[in-house]
């Protein structure tokens, strides 16, 4: 599901949705990099909850069932938002298609894991933790810049966190849970951002929090 970084059974997904980024740092970063409020926004592979949340925040949202907006009309959107599922293999044709859908000055905002955090210990090394973040990686060589957001998975208690980690991640989850002293895990997210046809904002280095 596009509002979560990984697929989980329904009950565990509900727990993670409540725990993930309670401070809404990701949403604030997307607004700062868009903006999205009061604008036409196409959300790729979105579920109803994500669309409702963005609509409540003031965006005029539409959904695309695909990870690339092939069916959207030319010049119809002020911004495109993709969370975790889209632009996993950045193809220049996909970027050109996003440019086709965007109006002049429109923004393409792509959320992926960044790694270097507690959550990456649960999932192991993923390609988004390494090559994707490099200057010669597939995103930064296709006109994107990067903003790194320092978030958390926050649970009510350490015991609740351990139960979730054990049930969802098995041995790796138990190992992480045993080392917890506070009921939260560090979680770093990269928002790759691009203006239609190029870029217009300075890169923000890893380790720098997003502006609110």
């Amino acid at each position: 599901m596009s509002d979560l970084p990984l697929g989980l059974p329904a009950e565990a997904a509900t727990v993670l949705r409540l725990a993930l980024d309670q401070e809404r740092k990701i949403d604030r970063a997307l607004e700062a990099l868009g903006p999205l409020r009061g604008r036409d926004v196409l959300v790729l592979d979105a579920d109803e909850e994500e669309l409702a949340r963005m609509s409540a925040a003031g965006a005029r949202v539409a959904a695309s069932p695909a990870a690339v907006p092939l069916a959207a009309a030319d010049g119809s959107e002020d911004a495109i938002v993709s969370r975790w599922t889209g632009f996993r293999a950045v193809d220049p044709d996909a970027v050109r298609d996003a440019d086709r859908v965007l109006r002049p000055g429109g923004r393409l905002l792509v959320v992926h894991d960044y790694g270097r955090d507690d959550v990456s210990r649960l999932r192991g090394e993923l390609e988004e933790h390494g090559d994707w973040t490099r200057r010669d990686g597939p995103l930064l060589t296709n006109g994107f810049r990067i903003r790194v957001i320092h978030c958390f998975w926050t649970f009510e208690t350490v015991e609740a966190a351990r139960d979730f980690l054990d049930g969802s991640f098995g041995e790796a989850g138990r190992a992480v849970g045993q080392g917890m002293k506070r009921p939260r895990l560090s979680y770093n997210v990269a928002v790759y951002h691009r203006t239609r046809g190029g870029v217009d904002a300075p890169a923000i280095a890893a380790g720098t929090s997003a502006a609110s």
Side-chain angles (χ1 to χ4, degrees), residues 26 29-30 33 82-84 109-117 128-129 132-133 139-140 145-151 187-193 204 206:
I26 300 172
L30 291 172
L33 292 167
S82 173
R83 293 182 188 248
W84 292 289
L109 309 175
V110 176
V111 176
H112 284 303
D113 283 10
Y114 185 77
R116 305 156 177 85
D117 55 24
E128 46 262 62
H129 298 166
W132 291 11
T133 68
L139 286 142
L140 299 186
R145 294 182 183 266
I146 183 173
R147 180 173 290 193
V148 179
I149 318 300
H150 303 291
C151 306
Y187 179 48
N188 295 332
V189 169
V191 181
Y192 296 94
H193 54 99
I204 295 183

Side-chain angles (χ1 to χ4, degrees), residues 17-177:
R17 190 173 283 110
L18 293 172
L20 173 61
D21 188 25
Q22 292 181 359
E23 299 83 2
R24 294 296 182 206
K25 291 182 179 181
I26 300 172
D27 288 348
R28 296 205 309 269
L30 291 172
E31 178 62 32
L33 292 167
L36 306 180
R37 184 182 299 275
R39 307 185 81 201
D40 295 319
V41 179
L42 183 68
V43 188
L44 304 187
D45 196 24
D47 63 16
E48 291 183 4
E49 183 167 331
E50 182 176 8
L51 292 173
R53 186 174 68 247
M54 293 185 68
S55 179
R60 297 187 294 268
V61 295
S64 169
V68 178
L70 293 171
D74 293 5
S76 59
E77 305 296 332
D78 296 309
I80 297 171
V81 174
S82 173
R83 293 182 188 248
W84 292 289
T85 54
F87 295 91
R88 296 196 62 82
V90 180
D91 173 344
D93 287 341
V95 175
R96 281 192 290 271
D97 194 55
D99 280 352
R100 175 188 62 78
V101 170
L102 290 168
R103 295 174 179 136
R107 298 285 279 158
L108 174 57
L109 309 175
V110 176
V111 176
H112 284 303
D113 283 10
Y114 185 77
R116 305 156 177 85
D117 55 24
D118 293 334
V119 172
S120 62
R121 295 168 56 203
L122 300 171
R123 306 183 66 193
E125 284 303 312
L126 305 175
E127 55 187 343
E128 46 262 62
H129 298 166
D131 289 348
W132 291 11
T133 68
R134 293 167 53 93
R135 291 185 182 276
D136 59 354
L139 286 142
L140 299 186
T141 55
N142 274 286
F144 288 89
R145 294 182 183 266
I146 183 173
R147 180 173 290 193
V148 179
I149 318 300
H150 303 291
C151 306
F152 299 95
W153 292 5
T154 304
F155 302 87
E156 289 189 5
T157 64
V158 170
E159 290 72 23
R162 287 173 175 163
D163 286 345
F164 169 78
L165 295 174
D166 187 2
S168 299
F169 298 97
E171 184 176 346
R174 286 191 291 276
V176 171

